[in-house]
Amino acid sequence: MAEGAFAEAGADLELVGIHKRFPGFTAIEDLDLRIPAGSFFALLGPSGCGKTTTLRLVAGLEQPTSGRILIGGKDVTDVKSFKRPVNTVFQSYALFPHMTVLENVAFGLRRRGIPDPLGKAHEALRLVELDHLSARRPAQLSGGQQQRVALARAVVNRPALLLLDEPLGALDLKLRRQMQLELKSIQTDVGLTFLHVTHDPEEALTMADTVAVMNKGKIEQMGAPEELYELPKTAFVANFLGQSNLFTGPVVSSKGDSIIVDIAGVKVEVPSARAQRHTDEVTIGVRPEKLMLHTEAPRKAAGVNVLGPGRVTDVSFSGVSTQYQIAIPGLGLVTVFAQNMVFGPVVNVGAEAWVAWTVDHGFGLADEPEHAPKFAADTDTATIALQTRHELLAEIEEA
Amino acid sequence: MAFAAFGSSAAPVEQAPRRRSWVAVILLLPGLAYLALFFLTPFISLILTSLQTPVEFGDVGQFQQAFKIENYAQVVGEYWPHFLRAFGYALAATFFALVISYPLAYFIGVKARRWPLLQALMLTLVIAPFFISFLLRTLAWKSLMADETPLVQGLKALSIIPSDGHLTGTAFSVIFGLTYNFIPFMTLPLYTTLERLDTRYLEAGSDLYAAPATTFWKVTVPLSMPGIVSGTLLTFIPASGDYINASASFLGSAQTQMVGNVIETNFLGLLNYPAAAALSVILMAVILLIVGIYVRRSGTEDLL
């Protein structure tokens, strides 16, 4: 970046064939990514999926084992971090404890010889509404205030690309919401490219234009938030972004623009365009809020899938909606979110129930059936507990 | 506490945090007694001695109590070059010790973090010289720098020192000796602060366009200021009062005498106790003054 001048606008970021190996494990495997200038891009995934490593590679704090990094079309793979037109809001904030808030914010400006660093620092602090605390030391601020200072310290440099490493992680819910909105408005105001790393799906969905879901060093799926949510392509995405009811069975026929899958003896229809695989064993799914709960067997109708009867095993009321768990013999537990249109739950535990959904709401996953989660046929408490235990153990081993 | 629980039924008053605790006083007592007996008493005695005057027609070393303030003027007039030399040498030794110790401490405390065994080994090596007497080690340097050694012969051959020059007995050898002997006192406090240095601040510096050298001066050095201050104090204070390195029987000569040496000579050789005492009081006062200004100027109060 030119000495003494700001970036004119956000820049594209392009990662080409990035591999990153640490002694003993591979953090990133063959990552290709293109983030257009001016967009708010979120990299979403569980801890240990390689998202923070990706961010550190872009910031220049780590070197890729192989692959190229391009910012605004310029190859910066071998450019040192202090020469990259990139600023980071660190997860730990990393505010310099020996400087005042003002000096912290002016640090980057001074290094680049930008005229009037203190004036611009005050301006950036006004943006995050902390100018009145500019003479304090970071240790004298609350967590939320420190986070805003860290943001001001990065934004004041008008980087072509702003990296955010779970910057809202330490905040309480209310402050988090407020900061999410503030971040989004800053991004729109200054027109920078934001790369936001988070493990919180809700944060990614509400803030980003484009979300990439990362798992085990690879991008599982990338797209607009609605697209990712409504049409997940893998079981991981289906379950990491909200909840999903997944069923596995063989494709028995395909008629016109949809496929028919045999789920424990019941024929279920999924639109071909929304299914990744059209033959053999497939895993299909539907979101819990798309399910309709019926207390009587619904009449057969075209364009509607029905499963049941089953027994309601759990009802939990959460204000806006009620979550029902229905055990369907041969299928396992099905989760339904029903909006509270009347006062409180409409079905009680032990009641007989059917679930139905519009064919258009189903989706088919790309996972090989042997990797896709299957529901245990026998869903007594012990089995569920055992399954949960296995899942937890697997999770611990992964971490 | 138990008594308080059964105490009066009066409205519970917020307990003041600074409650007088007899336990604390009793625990402090041995330390206070020690200081009173072994610091305060000798210090008063020292001041009284510094004001004594020789007994008329008495023997050498016979003095009586007086209020002879001229003693101070006299020793300053006579020994001011030794004071200058002491502070000059101590300053130089502190500087060199800092320059040598900082990279060493940085390596042990920051770079070697991933290898705790290497860290422990290097720290042991820093402390290892303490296992051998300070006098022996200084004498060993004297023989290493003696005129007939290959080192001195080589330096003469390269005309770095003149053919009739020496290495021992010079300002160089005294400063060298002081630096060598006080390096561990510099390295250890530096290590303890650098060991806690959060390297994420360095990453933040680099992220904010600061080149490694700039990050070092603007971030690393200020953050390690507590270690620098305590290391320099631990080196400068004892070095300015040192009388071993500069003495003619070790690395010094008559031309390199520091104030510690003249105190020794006055006390043990000339038996001029008031002069030795006056010199000691002045040395102490000047060190206090220098240290006070230094600690203020370095602004480490809020970092400590």
Side-chain angles (χ1 to χ4, degrees):
Chain A
M1 187 181 287
E3 192 72 7
F6 283 132
E8 292 297 315
D12 307 3
L13 169 70
E14 219 176 327
L15 302 180
V16 186
I18 296 283
H19 284 264
K20 176 67 186 173
R21 286 183 202 97
F22 289 107
F25 79 106
T26 303
I28 296 169
E29 222 182 304
D30 199 22
L31 182 72
D32 286 293
L33 191 64
R34 200 180 164 281
I35 301 175
S39 67
F40 196 129
F41 191 94
L43 211 49
L44 174 69
S47 53
C49 73
K51 58 188 192 303
T52 296
T53 308
T54 308
L55 191 98
R56 291 174 60 82
L57 287 170
V58 176
L61 300 172
E62 304 275 359
Q63 276 296 304
T65 313
S66 65
R68 319 297 304 161
I69 299 166
L70 292 94
I71 296 173
K74 261 188 14 209
D75 190 333
V76 296
T77 319
D78 300 318
V79 175
K80 295 260 188 279
S81 66
F82 62 93
K83 287 184 178 156
R84 293 192 188 186
V86 164
N87 284 113
T88 311
V89 180
F90 292 93
Q91 190 171 10
S92 63
Y93 314 143
L95 297 175
F96 303 125
H98 58 289
M99 294 179 193
T100 61
V101 165
L102 186 68
E103 278 304 325
N104 261 286
V105 178
F107 189 89
L109 299 173
R110 286 194 194 280
R111 300 288 82 75
R112 282 163 61 211
I114 303 256
D116 188 25
L118 291 181
K120 291 195 170 71
H122 275 299
E123 210 173 288
L125 283 170
R126 270 194 290 276
L127 185 69
V128 295
E129 292 170 13
L130 281 179
D131 200 30
H132 58 293
L133 301 179
S134 62
R136 296 237 188 127
R137 294 286 170 102
Q140 294 167 302
L141 303 184
S142 72
Q145 289 169 334
Q146 288 185 28
Q147 197 268 322
R148 278 143 74 191
V149 175
L151 184 65
R153 188 176 71 168
V155 170
V156 74
N157 299 298
R158 294 291 159 93
L161 180 61
L162 185 71
L163 307 175
L164 301 144
D165 186 4
E166 308 228 8
L168 311 179
L171 306 185
D172 61 53
L173 192 69
K174 199 175 156 225
L175 207 54
R176 220 178 149 90
R177 286 272 175 282
Q178 199 183 323
M179 282 313 300
Q180 284 179 1
L181 294 175
E182 253 171 74
L183 265 182
K184 186 74 193 161
S185 74
I186 287 171
Q187 195 255 341
T188 332
D189 284 356
V190 295
L192 306 175
T193 312
F194 275 37
L195 173 56
H196 185 177
V197 154
T198 180
H199 67 268
D200 181 356
E202 205 186 327
E203 197 169 293
L205 292 179
T206 50
M207 296 168 77
D209 311 322
T210 313
V211 178
V213 182
M214 231 180 150
N215 186 29
K216 292 178 184 156
K218 283 182 185 162
I219 289 184
E220 291 252 339
Q221 193 179 346
M222 196 170 108
E226 313 81 50
E227 186 191 326
L228 277 187
Y229 184 80
E230 299 299 352
L231 189 53
K233 287 180 179 164
T234 65
F236 179 80
V237 177
N239 283 320
F240 193 73
L241 274 181
Q243 296 184 44
S244 292
N245 293 302
L246 300 180
F247 315 103
T248 301
V251 175
V252 288
S253 66
S254 64
K255 60 156 200 187
D257 51 2
S258 63
I259 56 169
I260 309 288
V261 185
D262 180 355
I263 305 295
V266 184
K267 303 267 183 290
V268 173
E269 196 179 343
V270 178
S272 305
R274 289 174 61 85
Q276 305 304 314
R277 289 152 55 88
H278 297 156
T279 49
D280 301 332
E281 289 269 308
V282 297
T283 300
I284 58 161
V286 63
R287 294 287 184 187
E289 73 278 4
K290 302 287 193 299
L291 292 179
M292 298 291 290
L293 193 63
H294 295 273
T295 48
E296 288 161 20
R299 266 181 296 151
K300 289 269 180 218
V304 176
N305 290 316
V306 178
L307 290 177
R311 293 253 163 230
V312 176
T313 58
D314 187 57
V315 176
S316 59
F317 178 72
S318 68
V320 182
S321 67
T322 305
Q323 177 181 332
Y324 300 96
Q325 298 271 18
I326 296 140
I328 299 178
L331 275 182
L333 282 179
V334 174
T335 306
V336 178
F337 290 149
Q339 218 182 333
N340 285 322
M341 304 297 279
V342 291
F343 302 109
V346 289
V347 183
N348 292 322
V349 172
E352 192 171 53
W354 286 259
V355 293
W357 71 93
T358 314
V359 167
D360 289 342
H361 288 154
F363 50 81
L365 302 178
D367 303 73
E368 294 289 329
E370 58 263 31
H371 298 306
K374 259 185 212 162
F375 285 100
D378 191 8
T379 51
D380 58 293
T381 322
T383 323
I384 296 170
L386 198 69
Q387 199 179 338
T388 318
R389 195 183 138 80
H390 284 313
E391 277 165 17
L392 278 174
L393 282 175
E395 212 169 281
I396 290 164
E397 258 168 44
E398 251 175 60
Chain B
M1 282 312 290
F3 290 109
F6 297 109
S8 66
S9 57
V13 181
E14 194 90 27
Q15 283 281 2
R18 265 177 280 125
R19 220 153 37 104
R20 178 170 300 158
S21 162
W22 288 106
V23 178
V25 174
I26 291 164
L27 286 173
L28 262 177
L29 220 53
L32 289 175
Y34 178 90
L35 280 179
L37 203 62
F38 297 110
F39 176 73
L40 207 58
T41 318
F43 182 60
I44 293 166
S45 155
L46 185 75
I47 291 176
L48 292 177
T49 312
S50 72
L51 298 168
Q52 282 175 351
T53 180
V55 176
E56 237 176 322
F57 313 116
D59 281 338
V60 175
Q62 269 198 319
F63 293 92
Q64 62 188 23
Q65 193 55 54
F67 192 74
K68 197 180 168 202
I69 202 93
E70 303 91 81
N71 279 344
Y72 284 85
Q74 207 181 334
V75 294
V76 170
E78 197 172 340
Y79 297 115
W80 63 267
H82 299 85
F83 273 106
L84 285 187
R85 218 176 276 143
F87 293 121
Y89 287 178
L91 201 67
T94 307
F95 172 76
F96 290 122
L98 180 64
V99 169
I100 295 167
S101 293
Y102 202 96
L104 183 64
Y106 191 87
F107 182 82
I108 306 174
V110 181
K111 295 285 170 191
R113 274 182 203 174
R114 273 180 291 164
W115 307 285
L117 210 65
L118 179 68
Q119 255 185 331
L121 180 74
M122 291 194 70
L123 277 179
T124 314
L125 287 178
V126 170
I127 306 164
F130 284 129
F131 296 128
I132 303 164
S133 158
F134 160 65
L135 296 178
L136 273 182
R137 282 182 285 127
T138 313
L139 276 177
W141 277 114
K142 188 186 182 181
S143 26
L144 282 171
M145 293 200 273
D147 289 347
E148 60 279 6
T149 56
L151 172 72
V152 177
Q153 297 297 333
L155 288 174
K156 279 181 181 169
L158 293 169
S159 308
I160 290 170
I161 51 176
S163 53
D164 59 341
H166 308 281
L167 217 50
T168 50
T170 59
F172 169 81
S173 62
V174 175
I175 293 171
F176 179 90
L178 288 170
T179 308
Y180 162 77
N181 278 310
F182 289 106
I183 271 184
F185 296 100
M186 183 67 91
T187 309
L188 292 177
L190 279 176
Y191 161 76
T192 40
T193 30
L194 286 171
E195 199 259 331
R196 284 176 309 185
L197 178 75
D198 191 338
T199 50
R200 289 179 295 189
Y201 294 132
L202 311 186
E203 288 187 344
S206 181
D207 186 71
L208 292 164
Y209 315 104
T214 318
T215 306
F216 176 76
W217 289 111
K218 297 282 178 190
V219 182
T220 314
V221 169
L223 287 178
S224 55
M225 218 49 197
I228 296 175
V229 170
S230 48
T232 45
L233 289 182
L234 283 177
T235 307
F236 180 79
I237 297 172
S240 49
D242 184 81
Y243 68 99
I244 300 294
N245 288 285
S247 93
S249 16
F250 289 87
L251 297 168
S253 65
Q255 283 73 48
T256 65
Q257 299 291 285
M258 290 163 64
V259 76
N261 301 99
V262 293
I263 293 174
E264 186 205 13
T265 320
N266 270 294
F267 194 85
L268 298 176
L270 306 174
L271 304 185
N272 189 352
Y273 305 127
L279 284 168
S280 303
V281 172
I282 296 170
L283 178 64
M284 196 176 194
V286 175
I287 288 178
L288 265 177
L289 193 73
I290 293 176
V291 168
I293 295 170
Y294 176 59
V295 170
R296 278 243 158 152
R297 289 293 300 272
S298 64
T300 41
E301 295 98 326
D302 51 317
L303 268 176
L304 290 171

